[in-house]
Amino acid sequence: MIIDWHTLNREPSLPALYVRAAMRRKITGTTLPDTGLRCWVEVDPNRLAAYRKVCGFADNGLLPPTYPHILAFALQMQLLTAKEFPFPLLGLIHLSNRIRVLRPMGGVHRVRASVQVQNLQPHAKGATFDLVTSLDDQLGTLWEAESRMLCRGVKLEGEPVEEVLASTLDMMEVTRWKAPADIGRQYAKVSGDYNPIHLSAASAKLFGFPTAIAHGLWNKARTLAALSDHLPTANVEIEVQFKKPVRLPSEVTLLASAAGSSGDFQLVGAGDLEHMTGHWRPIA
């Protein structure tokens, strides 16, 4: 797919995009747009500090490996609520996320964020696509990511293909933490992601959940913060698959293999309920 890139002069307004998202409830097609969005964004020190606090990252002078998602969130919202995008944003399910940190993210103040969608595929419950995000500075690409999203009810031709991350290394308990009832609201304040399924039991029930659930990217961020001594700071790819949601409030346990250039990890709840599996690898 050849991407038709549009460069914005400033970040989109999130309140207006949430209104647009709330008004889109129907599937309008089965073809992804070839439009991509780009915009220069600034790193706000206060917002970054608040994000570190909510997610458990120490201030080591580097951007947390998950923070670029926050910098690009408004662009992602603009793309996924555009008239040309065929699926309603509300109801999309985040299945997996892979990030690549190409260079150490220290001293980052102004970067260009880029977003696009690609790789529409049939799924047993509908269709999946990849939301692709990247960050560039004056030296080139700094960070890139793919979030695989599921839209239920879409019918595509072809056989569904589902990838499964399998752990290959021995793991042991690293730590455990409690996900409090209000962590969805805390994360929303620092990320801008006010998805109703994360905010309260009442709003989550409107979408079929018995209680609020933690953001998948908060689970990943909190995990990477706990694994900061295990992980390389650059030339690393970190991939996760989201399994059973973390219902709020609850306690979770993080398992991981030993520190090194490669490793596996797993986030589990009571009764060994699997919430997230993942690994880190050198970038090939």
Side-chain angles (χ1 to χ4, degrees), residues 239-258:
E239 183 173 6
V240 301
Q241 286 186 343
F242 302 113
K243 304 293 188 176
K244 296 295 184 180
V246 176
R247 295 184 180 183
L248 301 176
S250 63
E251 184 177 74
V252 296
T253 300
L254 175 62
L255 310 174
S257 58

Side-chain angles (χ1 to χ4, degrees), residues 149-219:
M149 313 298 292
L150 167 66
C151 181
R152 295 179 184 270
V154 181
K155 298 188 182 301
L156 297 178
E157 294 184 359
E159 290 295 321
V161 177
E162 188 171 355
E163 299 176 2
V164 177
L165 281 182
S167 300
T168 59
L169 302 174
D170 292 333
M171 293 184 286
M172 60 182 297
E173 180 176 333
V174 175
T175 187
R176 58 181 64 196
W177 61 81
K178 292 183 178 179
D182 67 343
I183 194 60
R185 296 188 294 277
Q186 290 186 49
Y187 185 77
K189 289 179 181 179
V190 299
S191 69
D193 187 350
Y194 283 88
N195 189 324
I197 64 175
H198 305 304
L199 302 181
S200 70
S203 59
K205 286 176 182 177
L206 297 175
F207 294 86
F209 293 90
T211 186
I213 62 174
H215 289 75
L217 285 178
W218 179 79
N219 291 330

